[in-house]
Amino acid sequence: MNVAVLSGKGGTGKTLISVNLAAVAESAIYMDCDVEEPNGHLYFKPNNITEKDVAVKIPEVDHTLCNGCRQCVDFCKFNALAYINDKLIVFDEICHSCGGCSLLCPEKALSEKDKVVGKIQNGISGNVEVHTGILKIGEPSGVPIIKKMLEDRKLREKDPTQASKLTMIDCPPGTACTVMESIQGADYCLLVAEPTVFGLHNLDLVYQLVTLFDKPFGVVLNKCLGDDHPVEMFCKERNIPILARLPFDAELGMLNAKADIAVRKSEKFRVLFSKLLDRVTNEVQHEATSHS
Amino acid sequence: MKLAIPMDEKRFDSNVAESFGRAPYILIYDQETSESLFFDNLAATSRGGAGIKAAQMVIDKGANALLAPRLGQNAADVLKAANINVYKTIGGSAKDNVEAFVAGKLNLLDDIHAGYHNHNPGGR
């Protein structure tokens, strides 16, 4: 059961909700796909950490074989290659690793080499396996790292006991390529929003995204003050279920600011997130039966 | 000497384009013959790396210098490899800038921006 948590902007509570839902489950996987600034590990403080690099393929030129035909330059849709002063130049950061140029080169002057763009850190925190994607500073796209994390997850799903395991996918903020990649394998999407006018705008962005991807979804409102709000109207008009309304609560804020996991520190919040997890599980099962 | 200038319109007396890589046209002005040739900038609509492709075009058309208001890092790298100097335009038309260049009034462009490649709508 893969649940992606997303929001139109940063700071709405994606990590708070992903971390606490994973921690309140009997056993779970927490995947931090916010690879530009992963912070879930600050809460889990995982042990037994293993690391592996994630690399992409980029072209390498053998200048002794290149005859300057420029087929590769004309082929590249991203203009990652230029031919200047009788020499082919590769722009690594522009390359999207499609491999087309090295397939095309009639002189076999182009081959592919690995370029490390980041790493995945795996560790354990009690009942939770913590997977953290980390993009190397200066790299333009986190997509290859997220792709690798989800591939690893998919391989394990061949085992039915692993497939049913709760996996919380903590997405990057917004609606960019990295978010689209993160929700690909999700059975359900949780949209986190603040009940403000700005929050409504951001909710609408992710609402459009998950609709486009035809994903079942529900909304969690965070930092609620209890009064009626346009966000509630927005959900009501579109029949979007609001699965929980987390209060604007000083105690929750304090625990979170200390990088404590609320459900591991307080019975009150254990009950709150446990209810939310039940609700999400029901929604996922309902989706599974109504689509089979 | 041949000068390259990014243009919004195909007229010598119209303004220099704000952007290099995404300008619709590239003007190649030949100082010896006073001839202006306008080329469609094939990079203008490309998905990425427009600066690289536009710079490649400037080189392929045999330009010796580029006059532009600003330039991205990738385009600058390509032009540097080809030993093409870039001069900062002073506003106004291509004609004004060619005259200023001839009079030695244009400075070399040295503040290269990092490009506009961070496409993350709604993100931070």
Side-chain angles (χ1 to χ4, degrees):
Chain A
M1 182 169 107
N2 300 338
V3 179
V5 182
L6 53 165
S7 71
K9 74 172 187 78
T12 55
K14 285 182 298 302
T15 300
L16 171 83
I17 288 163
S18 316
V19 165
N20 280 286
L21 286 183
V24 88
E26 199 175 313
S27 94
I29 302 169
Y30 166 82
M31 284 176 42
D32 203 339
C33 290
D34 191 5
V35 299
E36 286 181 35
E37 48 256 307
N39 60 348
H41 66 95
L42 299 174
Y43 295 90
F44 283 115
K45 305 164 186 76
N47 300 312
N48 305 329
I49 286 176
T50 56
E51 272 189 8
K52 63 176 175 188
D53 284 341
V54 178
V56 296
K57 298 282 184 200
I58 55 163
E60 186 171 34
V61 197
D62 183 339
H63 293 287
T64 60
L65 294 176
C66 177
N67 68 357
C69 75
R70 296 170 60 147
Q71 284 191 41
C72 56
V73 175
D74 295 336
F75 170 79
C76 183
K77 291 286 173 284
F78 296 96
N79 303 313
L81 299 149
Y83 193 76
I84 306 145
N85 281 352
D86 301 328
K87 202 175 168 193
L88 188 64
I89 299 182
V90 181
F91 288 82
D92 294 355
E93 270 95 61
I94 306 284
C95 174
H96 282 53
S97 304
C98 78
C101 56
S102 39
L103 282 174
L104 197 67
C105 178
E107 305 301 319
K108 306 271 173 264
L110 286 167
S111 55
E112 290 190 308
K113 65 173 177 186
D114 277 342
K115 179 183 140 194
V116 174
V117 292
K119 60 186 175 184
I120 301 170
Q121 250 179 20
N122 292 347
I124 299 285
S125 167
N127 57 331
V128 182
E129 263 184 58
V130 182
H131 299 196
T132 306
I134 304 167
L135 181 66
K136 219 167 127 179
I137 290 171
E139 285 300 327
S141 169
V143 169
I145 297 166
I146 298 166
K147 201 172 249 175
K148 181 73 187 133
M149 292 169 81
L150 294 170
E151 271 171 19
D152 290 352
R153 168 68 186 142
K154 202 153 189 146
L155 283 176
R156 283 173 59 179
E157 280 172 13
K158 286 178 181 163
D159 174 356
T161 59
Q162 289 293 328
S164 61
K165 193 165 180 168
L166 175 70
T167 302
M168 295 305 306
I169 302 166
D170 193 357
C171 296
T175 54
C177 304
T178 45
V179 180
M180 296 186 216
E181 196 64 45
S182 303
I183 66 170
Q184 297 261 349
D187 302 304
Y188 194 81
C189 291
L190 276 184
L191 316 184
V192 187
E194 292 162 359
T196 62
V197 175
F198 186 42
L200 174 59
H201 170 78
N202 293 306
L203 174 62
D204 190 23
L205 291 174
V206 275
Y207 163 71
Q208 288 179 47
L209 182 75
V210 293
T211 310
L212 191 70
F213 275 69
D214 203 18
K215 292 284 177 189
F217 63 96
V219 165
V220 176
L221 295 180
N222 189 21
K223 306 176 206 173
C224 294
L225 288 165
D227 39 359
D228 257 2
H229 195 275
V231 177
E232 301 258 353
M233 282 298 288
F234 178 90
C235 294
K236 203 172 172 185
E237 281 165 9
R238 289 161 185 78
N239 281 323
I240 302 168
I242 298 177
L243 305 186
R245 292 172 182 80
L246 302 183
F248 188 67
D249 183 298
E251 193 189 347
L252 186 57
M254 289 286 275
L255 286 168
N256 208 43
K258 281 194 286 184
D260 278 332
I261 298 174
V263 300
R264 288 181 180 172
K265 292 280 172 184
S266 144
E267 179 61 19
K268 179 173 121 189
F269 294 121
R270 202 191 60 76
V271 171
L272 181 79
F273 281 98
S274 192
K275 273 188 190 156
L276 175 56
L277 181 59
D278 287 346
R279 186 80 204 271
V280 172
T281 310
N282 281 339
E283 290 282 327
V284 175
Q285 278 162 358
H286 174 74
E287 284 297 330
T289 48
S290 62
H291 279 79
S292 58
Chain B
M1 190 161 178
K2 282 183 179 177
L3 306 174
I5 306 173
M7 300 293 291
D8 284 325
E9 293 171 53
K10 291 199 221 181
R11 283 188 1 251
F12 191 46
D13 59 355
S14 67
N15 285 348
V16 176
E18 286 289 314
S19 142
F20 169 62
R22 302 283 178 186
Y25 308 105
I26 306 270
L27 161 65
I28 303 291
Y29 178 82
D30 190 329
Q31 275 189 280
E32 269 112 77
T33 61
S34 298
E35 190 184 20
S36 334
L37 287 175
F38 288 87
F39 296 94
D40 289 341
N41 176 17
L42 300 175
T45 55
S46 65
R47 279 182 231 173
I52 296 169
K53 193 168 180 172
Q56 176 83 62
M57 186 171 157
V58 164
I59 295 162
D60 294 345
K61 297 295 176 196
N64 310 97
L66 172 70
L67 315 186
R70 57 200 175 95
L71 198 66
Q73 188 62 56
N74 290 324
D77 288 348
V78 172
L79 295 170
K80 195 178 173 192
N83 295 316
I84 292 180
N85 283 333
V86 186
Y87 295 86
K88 189 169 172 58
T89 51
I90 46 167
S93 67
K95 186 169 177 284
D96 297 338
N97 280 281
V98 167
E99 283 167 8
F101 175 78
V102 172
K105 285 181 184 165
L106 293 190
N107 295 321
L108 282 170
L109 183 89
D110 43 19
D111 54 336
I112 302 301
H113 69 75
Y116 303 102
H117 307 300
N118 190 0
H119 56 107
N120 187 11
R124 286 165 293 207

